[in-house]
Amino acid sequence: MDIILTHSQQSLQSRHSFALPAYARTVIELNDEAQLPNIQWQEPFWILGEGTNTLFLEDFEGTVLVNQLRGVQITEADDAWLVSVAAGENWHGLVCSLSAQGIHGFENLALIPGSVGAAPVQNIGAYGVEVGQFITAVDIWDLQSQQALQWTHADCEFRYRESRFKRKHNRHLLITQVHFALPKQWVPELSYPDLRNLPADVSASELMARVIAVREAKLPDPKRLPNAGSFFKNPVVSAERAQELLSKYPMMPQFFMENGDVKLAAGWLIDQAGLKSAAVGDAAVHQQQALVLVNHGRASGEDLRALARSIQDQVATRYGVTLEPEVRLLSKQGVDANL
Ligand code: EPU
């Protein structure tokens, strides 16, 4: 029987990038798929990768499973590279290694913190690219029924920062492997404002260097200043509502979506509401990007919750727009806590 590494009363502070002071009753480290049949599903239960999109607002009265499965396999098809990656691999490490091998497509997604297994859950995206575009299938271990499953791209139901994995009733699904197809014919995606002045014949490495430079200028390194990236999703409104807002606020950035709805920039709304200096205790709005909340050291879950609620209230009052958390907020019992 495989040994399952379990630890009781473990601090979660170093296991999530917002670094709140919280404990879990039990932590399991998953290093080998052979361990899976020996893991009992009992709620509260939470699956964690590198913890860069999860915030533990309180002590967690259950089990946290840390997915540390490793391994990358690359095969060649006629027109694409087929890459299968274990969920515990680091995302940015994968992007760098593939790009260096001449396998392109992920450059716009460079420097996104977190693990490969977390990427499909919230369909990570940046600079005009979303990871779901490249995912052909996801291997899953169902912890409840103790069986292996595979979801196709269509099964995953990818949307902006959403997928079927993110739904409440799917929390027992552990991603073990993600399968990608990266077309051999690489076309750089340069539509995003920060990349627009790059030449059309830009090389993949130049593009990646630009993405890294833009991110480093705006987004704090979680190792130096604890944070979980964008705290809220960019809100989506109808075209009519967007037009009303634009007539009142002519400088408001707006992005048209394929279905005709309009995505607003939550960072702009927070910034323009004068909230860049907002803080509760050590929980604060980041100076270079108002959509990111940071922990200056000793923030508690309550500080963070109070700050996020106040931002939500003030943005709603001013613009009539509701900001929803993009991060996963965990309370004692593991359910996503409402702000
Ligand atoms: N803006 C401000 N003030 C701010 C922040 C932003 O005026 O404090 C304005 C910017 O000038 C720009 C607009 O708002 O006109 C959008 O800002 P930005 O380009 O920085 O991107 P974002 O919409 O705030 C999204 C993603 C990021 C991703 C970037 C680049 C979400 C929730 N966030 O941010 O993803 O890196 O676009 O594609 O969609 C993450 O999900 O954790 C994340 C960092």
Side-chain angles (χ1 to χ4, degrees):
M1 191 162 128
D2 290 277
I3 296 167
I4 300 180
L5 286 171
T6 47
H7 309 275
S8 12
Q9 289 307 326
Q10 275 264 308
S11 169
L12 295 168
Q13 201 155 16
S14 64
R15 295 197 188 260
H16 73 301
S17 64
F18 207 90
L20 293 168
Y23 280 78
R25 199 161 278 176
T26 311
V27 171
I28 299 177
E29 290 175 357
L30 177 70
N31 299 300
D32 188 331
E33 287 197 33
Q35 288 170 253
L36 291 170
N38 300 324
I39 296 173
Q40 302 296 318
W41 167 261
Q42 195 192 0
E43 292 196 87
F45 198 105
W46 191 255
I47 299 162
L48 206 59
E50 295 180 22
T52 56
N53 205 48
T54 298
L55 283 84
F56 291 97
L57 296 175
E58 300 170 359
D59 287 344
F60 185 69
E61 294 181 345
T63 302
V64 170
L65 182 150
V66 185
N67 191 335
Q68 298 177 337
L69 298 173
R70 296 276 194 271
V72 179
Q73 284 174 332
I74 302 173
T75 53
E76 189 172 358
D78 286 347
D79 52 2
W81 295 101
L82 306 179
V83 183
S84 296
V85 189
E89 289 285 340
N90 173 262
W91 173 260
H92 179 64
L94 176 73
V95 173
C96 293
S97 143
L98 292 178
S99 193
Q101 293 175 70
I103 301 176
H104 303 308
F106 289 160
E107 283 76 8
N108 297 48
L109 306 178
L111 218 61
I112 295 184
S115 66
V116 168
V121 178
Q122 60 147 334
N123 187 17
I124 58 169
Y127 311 105
V129 173
E130 287 186 350
V131 76
Q133 293 167 227
F134 300 93
I135 294 177
T136 54
V138 177
D139 292 350
I140 297 162
W141 174 258
D142 182 334
L143 286 157
Q144 210 165 24
S145 67
Q146 301 234 319
Q147 57 182 337
L149 312 170
Q150 188 177 67
W151 281 1
T152 63
H153 172 92
D155 294 334
C156 296
E157 295 174 19
F158 294 118
R159 306 277 182 275
Y160 164 63
R161 293 297 191 280
E162 280 295 336
S163 78
R164 209 168 139 202
F165 295 107
K166 221 171 164 179
R167 299 205 192 127
K168 204 170 167 178
H169 58 270
N170 286 330
R171 294 213 179 105
H172 56 288
L173 301 180
L174 174 106
I175 295 175
T176 52
Q177 290 260 338
V178 184
H179 303 282
F180 304 98
L182 292 114
K184 285 185 181 168
Q185 198 171 357
W186 175 67
V187 183
E189 167 56 61
L190 305 175
S191 62
Y192 195 84
D194 284 327
L195 308 180
R196 243 176 236 162
N197 63 357
L198 287 171
D201 63 349
V202 67
S203 71
S205 59
E206 284 165 342
L207 171 56
M208 191 159 97
R210 169 66 67 88
V211 168
I212 289 174
V214 172
R215 288 192 78 94
E216 281 179 340
K218 288 188 185 177
L219 300 166
D221 176 354
K223 290 197 191 83
R224 291 196 204 132
L225 181 57
N227 74 89
S230 298
F231 190 88
F232 297 103
K233 284 194 236 177
N234 281 331
V236 175
V237 299
S238 68
E240 295 77 43
R241 181 83 190 103
Q243 195 48 50
E244 280 167 28
L245 285 165
L246 203 58
S247 55
K248 214 166 156 195
Y249 305 99
M251 302 304 284
M252 179 181 278
Q254 300 194 340
F255 305 92
F256 277 86
M257 301 178 68
E258 273 169 22
N259 66 358
D261 286 344
V262 178
K263 202 194 278 177
L264 307 178
W268 187 93
L269 300 175
I270 298 167
D271 190 352
Q272 293 298 310
L275 294 170
K276 256 199 178 156
S277 53
V280 176
D282 266 354
V285 175
H286 184 56
Q287 292 304 302
Q288 279 71 43
Q289 184 13 318
L291 191 47
V292 177
L293 304 187
V294 296
N295 175 0
H296 282 297
R298 296 181 177 209
S300 66
E302 277 315 303
D303 294 338
L304 197 256
R305 206 198 295 259
L307 174 66
R309 273 188 190 150
S310 134
I311 292 171
Q312 229 178 10
D313 289 349
Q314 292 184 63
V315 167
T317 307
R318 196 176 166 114
Y319 302 103
V321 171
T322 307
L323 295 183
E324 284 174 21
E326 191 260 307
V327 292
R328 322 289 303 272
L329 300 170
L330 293 202
S331 57
K332 283 188 179 64
Q333 295 294 315
V335 276
D336 280 9
N338 289 317
L339 273 179

